[in-house]
Amino acid sequence: MATVITDQGRQHVDRLARIWEERPGILGWITTTDHKRIGLMYFFTALVMFGAGGTEALLMRTQLIGPNHHLLSPEAYDEMFTMHGITMIFLFVIPMTTGAFGNYLLPLMIGARDMAFPRMNALSYWIYLGSGLLMYIALAQGHAPNAGWFDYVPLASKQFDPGNNIDYYGYGLIFNGISSTAASINFIVTIFKMRAPGMSLNRMPLFCFAFLAVAFALLFALPSLTVAALFLELDRQLGFHFYDVAFGGDPLLWQNLFWIFGHPEVYIIILPAFGIATAIIPTFAHRRMVFFPLVALGEILVAFLGFGVWVHHMFTVGFATITTVYFAAASLIIVIPSGIQLFAWIATILTGTPDFKTPLLFIVGFIVYFMLGGLSGVTLAAIPFDQQVHDSYYVVAHFHFVIFGAAVFPILGGMYFWFPKVTGRLYNERLGKISFWVTFIGTFITFFPMHIVGILGMPRRNYTYAAHLGWTLLNFIESIGAYILATGLLMIVVNLAISLFKGPPAGNDPFEGDTLEWSTTSPPPPYNYPVIPTVSSPYPMWDKDDRELDNRRLARGEGLLELGHETPATTAQDAIWDEILKMPSHSAWPPVTALTLFGVFFMLVMAHYWIAGGFLAACGLSLIGWHYKGVRV
Amino acid sequence: MTEPSSRAHRGLHPPQVTRSSAAFTASAAGRVARQRLAQPNGWWGMALFLCAEVALFGTMISSYFYLDFDAHRWPPAGIPDPSVLWPSIGTAVLVAMSFPMWLAARSAIAGRRGRVLGLVSGAMIVQGCYLGLQIILLIQDLHKFKPQGSAYGSIYYTLLVAHHAHVLFGLLLDLTILVFVSFRGLTNYWLIGVRSLALYWHVVNVIAVFVLVVTLAPSL
Amino acid sequence: MLLWWWMLGVATIVFLGAMVMLVMAWTKRGVPGLPFLGERENLAEGLVLIFGIAIPLVVLVALFGVSDVYLVGQTSPPNPKTTAMTIDVIGHQWWWEVHYPSTGAVTANEIHIPVDTRVNVVATTADVIHSFWVPALNRKIDMIPGRRNRILLDATKTGEYRGQCSQFCGVQHAHMALEVFVQTPAAFRAWLANMSAPARTPTTPEEQAGKTLFMNSSCASCHTIAGTAAAGTVGPNLTHVASRTTLAAVTIPNTPAEMEAWISNPQAIKPGDRMPDLGLPHSEVVEITDYLESLH
């Protein structure tokens, strides 16, 4: 049940509204530190990036619809598949899950009023935007990265890729990494220190466990990419020899460093999707998650074990058998925590009384594709089989099923699920279901045939193929599937866009959700909750007593924290109330700092080192300004 | 300063929940720091940032050994084995600065602003001398071999310069703390800053030991 | 491939099992609890333990044993002592250099091996990472600077097998294929003997003219024709080019018309390739083609 505001409560609510009022206009958005506004900015930027990455995909599929086509030159095609990978992974999926969903929902789910570091949260967004701009400036100049999203050397070295395409890649990824590292730090501190008093760790929603796992994984995986890219740029721009056999270097060093990042990265991609699924399933199944502790443990184990398997991307490199066998075994072990979660979800739906509304349909689609993609992944742990299909379309099929089918479907379902909360309006259910089916079928038709064409010998990253090889019909089907898929995605966007203006009012809790965000208004007020919520279980909205208690506390004026921008800080494990924190509101320093950093990285790409140094000094000054008044901004 | 407590939520409103950011004097900030049950958010943030930096150096050190094991001769012919004496002395002195930094953090919690300023400025001078020494040693090395000459040179200089950059950043943090604690006072915000600074130096000092041992490994 | 069919079978069963559960979730959506088994929570938890841990553990251990303990030995690089001959394959952007060290024969983009013979292929690269893959004969093996990887070819049936580079190696990665001809031992010996001999001398005036043109223009700076002055190593060895069935790494068939088209305008067929447009007049192209097509 949602918060009821009495007349007495009304004066407190009004006071909070005045204190937390957002600055108006575009300046208000640029200087915002509110996690919800930042989440929305991430959302729309990521959506644009999704469109860009999707366009790149459609161009490629159109090129491949028949043999020997000339829509894209080989150079253009190489830039397309590279930018598609970079965009989808670094500029769409991670920002959408962590930046949009994580930022918007995490404080709401733990009963807080904002993230632990609101200004750094804004900084993460502006840096993300800057890194996206940097990549697309590259494309606009015709110098987009063109050696694949994992950019193997020596192909990506100065000798074989002399323009600055790869420099945009190297520095762009380091720049983007700063955004994600800052976001991870923010998430971890928020989850550990900012939960509502009484929300001990075992009462934290599973969504939050997933994001905790993601944040730790990002924190420890990104340094490997940073080092790899740093070495790459030192080799390319300053003539160092990390990857250069002639001088004692090794191209495999790049592969190892990249995949030590790259494999955890794919679990980072999918774990938030698990989190979204664990939020949607109990709500629509009308029951608690089966085996909650095991699911939480599974989420953390997947993130942890994901650090030990990276060599399975390198089974054909020629390592000793013992090495490959060890990593195959480690890769197989991850199936267990994934399987636990999968069957917990299925069991929850099976034993509940499920309402197959659009969000749940997308989660069912996610379960289907996670199974299919997971099973094809298991086959890839069979080393002799992998050594046949590595770098063929079989692998492309596998990872698109798990990335698109299993990571993006919950994003789409989550968009529908939280649309009423964010906008205050309901989406159109019928169109929602139709959009699901079109997307589901389109995904299948696009990516399933890729398994077959891969086994038939079609390698990845080929800008065209000969007519007599027997790949033509399958490619044709895949391309048609891509158009169907694009249509389904467009239907989702259109549904939500129209519903934004025409949808009926949603109220606080249209789906009888289980987590705290459903107790507050739709959309939530800037201060999230008038009263810091009382929590006794991971399903706070289903604890009617606690919610009634909160209503009484609001009427009595208790637990309001209305002396400024205030929110509680609690202890890490048991959430004992420890301090009342003053939160910053509205600051120009995050976008200014991000701008100076953009200057640093852009100048590094251009090899203007002194100017880059100048921008770095400017960044330092900006950080001084940031801390100048402490929290009183 | 505290919320009215209610029997309905024992434990939710402990009598001493403080509005910590309202502590603007050193003694008030110190009291807040001593009453806290958990580590402050800012300190957590620094701790997690340092986790990422440790991972960064761990990766670079692993790369050093990866290239080492790949090579027939390490360092390659023509490059002398690294000298041990001055780098070790320098690192020992740097690590010793953890002691004044630790004292500074404790003094901050005790609310003793003057002692904090004294300890941090003293440590800063020594840390600055350390950096100066390291730069001299680096230039001497550059006369013997260049990073562009071999993979050994590449990883050797990158590892060292990455470490020195962290020392330089630490010096800038020292300066920032000194300026703000002098002019703004030892508020709750800057007390957390002092504690985070101390943590930064502890971790950088540990990393310094590892970097020393690794870069000197061929001579040990 | 047998492994694949088994994995597909097991995967299908597992997948269908989960799908059945989902379908039951739909059909029995009005009724809480497990269908047929009731509402006890520990039954639901048991389902998770059995399907999430127990069954996967069994399947995974079996898969691991079969594929990563037993079968993996068969795809490992062969012990050179157990092989009858060695071939060196060097990857280039975007063609394959093939050496037969026993006789000094050099060719490009085509490998011939005798049937039922264990052949040790040593895979290296001259520039970037490539990957040697002949799907019908064995797994792929990467060609990495600084490494000498080896792979076994042991064909049991004569015939023609297509291979393709399968590690993105640049602009014309899509047109870097190769052909493996598995022949009877007698046919192979004849082929190898021919390949080991120097190039044929021209027999007609057109061929002679073509040879002269070849030696005097930039052709000779990139290509080798054994027994002549042409000793370039940038491009494929052309000593016996006429004996090959395809050109440009299996991009076009090896006919006079196609070869003329290639020499006139390689960038139109393989844009970005290292062979530049030479700007030769058509008559010269025809004569060079005559010469090259005589090099059986």
Side-chain angles (χ1 to χ4, degrees), chain A residues 27 45 127 142 147 239 263 274 336 347 394 474 495 502 516 550 571 590 595 601:
Chain A
L27 202 59
T45 310
I127 291 180
H263 195 83
F274 291 174
I336 305 286
Y394 186 90
L474 289 165
N495 187 354
K502 298 244 176 87
L516 280 169
D550 282 347
T571 59
L595 198 59
F601 283 96

Side-chain angles (χ1 to χ4, degrees), chain B residues 140-159:
Chain B
Q140 281 182 352
D141 279 337
L142 279 169
H143 286 155
K144 297 183 208 147
F145 65 103
K146 300 252 185 290
Q148 289 91 346
S150 60
Y152 173 82
S154 300
I155 185 70
Y156 176 87
Y157 285 107
T158 305
L159 194 53

Side-chain angles (χ1 to χ4, degrees), chain A residues 192 194-201 569-578, chain B residues 11-12:
Chain A
F192 276 128
M194 313 275 287
R195 303 195 305 277
M199 187 186 275
S200 51
L201 277 178
T570 54
T571 59
Q573 190 173 322
D574 288 321
I576 300 170
W577 199 328
D578 199 16
Chain B
L12 253 63

Side-chain angles (χ1 to χ4, degrees), chain A residues 184-387:
Chain A
S184 316
I185 294 175
N186 224 336
F187 275 66
I188 294 171
V189 182
T190 304
I191 288 174
F192 276 128
K193 297 288 317 288
M194 313 275 287
R195 303 195 305 277
M199 187 186 275
S200 51
L201 277 178
N202 61 329
R203 293 176 186 167
M204 189 169 75
L206 286 169
F207 181 94
C208 307
F209 274 102
F211 277 80
L212 186 64
V214 169
F216 271 111
L218 269 169
L219 196 67
F220 286 105
L222 278 169
S224 192
L225 178 67
T226 304
V227 170
L230 175 69
F231 287 177
L232 179 67
E233 288 307 314
L234 287 171
D235 271 14
R236 286 179 56 86
Q237 291 193 332
L238 294 184
F240 284 40
H241 295 294
F242 291 102
Y243 301 130
D244 187 349
V245 174
F247 286 82
D250 189 351
L252 289 180
L253 178 62
W254 166 268
Q255 291 195 24
N256 275 303
L257 288 176
F258 185 86
W259 288 116
I260 289 175
F261 154 77
H263 195 83
E265 172 74 351
V266 306
Y267 291 118
I268 288 165
I269 289 173
I270 198 138
L271 275 169
F274 291 174
I276 296 175
T278 53
I280 292 179
I281 290 175
T283 301
F284 287 98
H286 305 297
R287 62 148 291 160
R288 304 179 161 212
M289 180 67 70
V290 170
F291 236 152
F292 175 106
L294 218 54
V295 175
L297 187 62
E299 281 170 354
I300 293 176
L301 271 179
V302 166
F304 182 69
L305 293 173
F307 276 86
V309 304
W310 77 92
V311 176
H312 71 222
H313 299 269
M314 298 161 67
F315 278 159
T316 59
V317 153
F319 285 140
T321 307
I322 184 85
T323 309
T324 55
V325 167
Y326 165 76
F327 281 98
S331 307
L332 287 171
I333 290 179
I334 298 199
V335 174
I336 305 286
S338 309
I340 291 174
Q341 293 183 68
L342 187 70
F343 285 99
W345 303 326
I346 294 179
T348 309
I349 302 177
L350 197 52
T351 56
T353 49
D355 224 333
F356 285 94
K357 289 209 164 69
T358 307
L360 189 63
L361 280 181
F362 273 100
I363 298 304
V364 170
F366 148 72
I367 289 177
V368 170
Y369 283 122
F370 184 54
M371 278 227 87
L372 286 173
L375 288 168
S376 63
V378 168
T379 62
L380 289 171
I383 298 170
F385 180 70
D386 178 275
Q387 290 170 336

Side-chain angles (χ1 to χ4, degrees), chain A residues 315 321 324-325 328-329 332 378-387, chain C residues 3-4 7 59-76:
Chain A
F315 278 159
T321 307
T324 55
V325 167
L332 287 171
V378 168
T379 62
L380 289 171
I383 298 170
F385 180 70
D386 178 275
Q387 290 170 336
Chain C
L3 172 66
W4 161 247
M7 291 198 294
V59 171
L60 294 174
V61 169
L63 178 66
F64 181 74
V66 169
S67 60
D68 297 333
V69 175
Y70 171 62
L71 279 178
V72 74
Q74 295 179 7
T75 62
S76 303

Side-chain angles (χ1 to χ4, degrees), chain A residues 414-475:
Chain A
M415 279 164 60
Y416 274 111
F417 183 50
W418 281 293
F419 179 84
K421 176 53 56 182
V422 174
T423 62
R425 294 181 180 270
L426 289 173
Y427 60 83
N428 183 303
E429 181 63 43
R430 187 137 177 277
L431 187 55
K433 291 199 168 83
I434 297 174
S435 71
F436 163 73
W437 284 109
V438 177
T439 308
F440 183 83
I441 291 171
T443 305
F444 193 83
I445 298 179
T446 309
F447 299 114
F448 188 80
M450 290 185 183
H451 293 93
I452 303 173
V453 83
I455 291 182
L456 289 180
M458 182 170 179
R460 299 167 73 157
R461 302 169 158 192
N462 279 18
Y463 75 96
T464 189
Y465 52 92
H468 63 274
L469 293 169
W471 303 337
T472 308
L473 179 62
L474 289 165
N475 271 286

Side-chain angles (χ1 to χ4, degrees), chain A residues 68 70 74-75 78 81 146-148 150 152-155 160 245 250-252 255 287-291 294 315-321 324-326 328-329 332-333 335-337 339-344 346-347 349-354 356 364 367-369 371-372 375 378-392 394 454-466 468-469 471, chain C residues 1 3-4 7-8 10-12 14-15 17-22 24-35 38-39 41 44-49 51-53 56-57 60-61 63-64 67-69 71-73 75-77 93 126-129 131 133-147 149 162 164-175 250 268-272 274:
Chain A
N68 295 316
H70 298 290
E75 289 88 357
D78 295 346
F81 74 71
N146 54 8
F150 45 84
Y152 281 177
V153 292
L155 184 63
F160 294 101
V245 174
D250 189 351
L252 289 180
Q255 291 195 24
R287 62 148 291 160
R288 304 179 161 212
M289 180 67 70
V290 170
F291 236 152
L294 218 54
F315 278 159
T316 59
V317 153
F319 285 140
T321 307
T324 55
V325 167
Y326 165 76
L332 287 171
I333 290 179
V335 174
I336 305 286
I340 291 174
Q341 293 183 68
L342 187 70
F343 285 99
I346 294 179
I349 302 177
L350 197 52
T351 56
T353 49
F356 285 94
V364 170
I367 289 177
V368 170
Y369 283 122
M371 278 227 87
L372 286 173
L375 288 168
V378 168
T379 62
L380 289 171
I383 298 170
F385 180 70
D386 178 275
Q387 290 170 336
Q388 266 287 6
V389 297
H390 171 73
D391 239 52
S392 76
Y394 186 90
I455 291 182
L456 289 180
M458 182 170 179
R460 299 167 73 157
R461 302 169 158 192
N462 279 18
Y463 75 96
T464 189
Y465 52 92
H468 63 274
L469 293 169
W471 303 337
Chain C
M1 280 311 279
L3 172 66
W4 161 247
M7 291 198 294
L8 182 63
V10 172
T12 309
V14 171
F15 179 69
M19 290 310 106
V20 163
M21 287 190 216
L22 284 177
M24 281 205 287
W26 163 259
T27 55
K28 300 251 183 252
R29 64 189 181 283
V31 181
L34 287 175
E39 272 192 69
E41 186 69 5
E45 291 178 354
L47 190 156
V48 174
L49 290 174
F51 287 92
I53 304 184
L57 212 53
L60 294 174
V61 169
L63 178 66
F64 181 74
S67 60
D68 297 333
V69 175
L71 279 178
V72 74
T75 62
S76 303
Q93 283 181 316
D127 42 38
V128 301
I129 298 180
S131 193
W133 187 33
V134 186
L137 292 183
N138 205 345
R139 52 167 278 196
K140 55 175 59 82
I141 186 83
D142 288 350
M143 302 159 123
I144 297 175
R147 287 185 85 93
N149 281 335
R162 186 176 185 278
Q164 184 160 346
C165 176
S166 51
Q167 181 63 258
F168 180 66
C169 55
V171 172
Q172 281 298 334
H173 166 66
H175 289 132
V250 194
I269 296 169
K270 213 167 158 180
R274 299 241 184 279

